[in-house]
Amino acid sequence: MLRIALPNKGRLADEARELFTDAGLEIRAAGPRALTASLGGEFQALFVRAQDIPEFVADGAADAGVTGADLVRESGRALRELTDLTFGRCRLAVAATEESGLLALEDLRSGTRVATVFPRVTAEFFASVGRQVEIVPVSGAAEIAPHIGIADVIVDLVSTGSTLRVNGLREIATVLESSARLIAAPDAREDVARGRALDELVAALRSVLAARDKRYVMANVPRDRLDEVKRVIPGLNGPTIIDIMNGGKFVAVHAVVSAATIYRTIADLKALGAEGILVTRIERLMS
Ligand code: AMP
């Protein structure tokens, strides 16, 4: 039985739950506040704070975990990143008040006070760019710090940037880009059975993520326009072309296409005389 630490609340919790469910690892918990749940045969979920997941995994309390890359870096623990889960995208940024006149790292004088929930990553960052700063650790709401005089700038997570804007702050540098990651301890593969189960988990999660931005298109198209149709729907390895019984001038084509451009694809197929166009979601895509 492999234990997977999942965020119990916050931005990453719902998407992690949805991803595991889509991958066939349905979370069966005894109740909404249960701290553990079955994930089907081989896996068990532990629900903990996203901040604590790097520690849990590094210490062996969980075999793998889902948490933000920012939190993995801040933990300072040696961990193996098994895959980027691509949701929970954000960046850790340096921000200053609009009226400070600070526009770039070069404007920060020696001894600048930096309020942050990420003291380790922040210290590493300023050391790497050769700026001497004083870190002011806070446990939340760093945005207020420059306005009440306890810091000159902040280092905080930014997603859309609206929180910074409403608090009169402007981004002046990016410290790191983050998204949710599946992590394991560095020695997780030493045990063969555990390594295989983790490989299978990674493959299942990746196949769901890969399928999300694709669609399966089916259409009946005029046989004499197949060359043009192939240009519209190249598919993964070229479209599948199927003869229709008594189809005469028409053949059926099936292909995996990008979801982002599906409207264009449909319009192009129609322009080529396609009929009976069907578009479906894909549950998993293994390449
Ligand atoms: P936004 O206003 O969209 O830039 O979001 C910024 C606020 O949301 C900050 O308070 C961040 O701490 C938090 N935030 C944004 N993205 C994430 C994330 N992926 N994980 C955790 N917190 C986040």
Side-chain angles (χ1 to χ4, degrees):
M1 184 72 87
L2 252 63
R3 276 169 301 184
I4 317 287
L6 297 177
N8 57 355
K9 55 183 175 193
R11 292 206 179 209
L12 305 179
D14 289 345
E15 290 203 66
R17 193 175 273 263
E18 194 182 317
L19 175 62
F20 274 67
T21 303
D22 288 352
L25 297 161
E26 203 181 331
I27 298 172
R28 285 187 223 107
R33 281 194 294 271
L35 301 177
T36 63
S38 161
L39 285 173
E42 280 174 272
F43 301 101
Q44 185 188 32
L46 303 180
F47 297 107
V48 285
R49 279 159 43 105
Q51 290 91 319
D52 295 334
I53 289 177
E55 302 291 337
F56 269 61
V57 176
D59 291 342
D63 299 287
V66 171
T67 193
D70 52 326
L71 298 172
V72 175
R73 272 283 299 283
E74 183 61 24
S75 77
R77 302 297 301 260
L79 288 159
R80 181 194 285 252
E81 187 185 308
L82 299 180
T83 195
D84 183 346
L85 300 172
T86 69
F87 61 84
R89 276 192 202 284
C90 60
R91 56 194 180 277
L92 196 57
V94 185
T97 59
E98 296 285 356
E99 59 275 13
S100 68
L102 302 169
L103 297 174
L105 290 179
E106 295 71 49
D107 299 335
L108 304 184
R109 57 172 175 74
S110 179
T112 291
R113 295 164 305 159
V114 189
T116 186
V117 179
F118 294 85
R120 182 192 298 266
V121 179
T122 300
E124 283 171 9
F125 171 75
F126 282 105
S128 76
V129 295
R131 282 256 159 331
Q132 193 270 319
V133 297
E134 183 196 328
I135 309 284
V136 180
V138 292
S139 59
E143 300 91 349
I144 194 80
H147 296 294
I148 56 172
I150 61 165
D152 305 300
V153 296
I154 66 166
V155 165
D156 203 7
L157 291 177
V158 183
S159 173
T160 60
S162 68
T163 304
L164 289 186
R165 270 193 303 281
V166 300
N167 288 292
L169 296 160
R170 143 177 61 213
E171 255 179 278
I172 62 172
T174 301
V175 174
L176 65 84
E177 303 278 351
S178 182
S179 56
R181 309 289 158 96
L182 181 71
I183 52 166
D187 62 359
R189 282 213 163 73
E190 278 173 19
D191 179 286
V192 175
R194 186 156 56 143
R196 205 190 49 229
L198 288 175
D199 287 344
E200 286 168 7
L201 175 64
V202 169
L205 298 177
R206 282 190 184 152
S207 72
V208 171
L209 293 171
R212 282 188 180 166
D213 47 359
K214 299 285 184 198
R215 294 290 180 271
Y216 196 70
V217 154
M218 295 165 263
N220 296 337
V221 303
R223 196 185 290 274
D224 58 5
R225 308 211 67 176
L226 265 181
D227 284 342
E228 291 155 282
V229 168
K230 282 182 203 163
R231 280 198 286 276
V232 173
I233 47 170
L236 286 181
N237 305 300
T240 304
I241 298 171
I242 309 161
D243 252 320
I244 307 170
M245 216 185 276
N246 302 324
K249 292 189 296 186
F250 279 82
V251 288
V253 292
H254 291 194
V256 174
V257 301
S258 160
T261 51
I262 190 68
Y263 290 106
R264 181 81 264 132
T265 305
I266 292 170
D268 289 348
L269 286 174
K270 278 189 179 159
L272 292 171
E275 292 177 0
I277 302 171
L278 283 178
V279 180
T280 68
R281 288 180 182 277
I282 304 168
E283 281 189 18
R284 297 193 192 200
L285 191 66
M286 271 152 279
S287 44

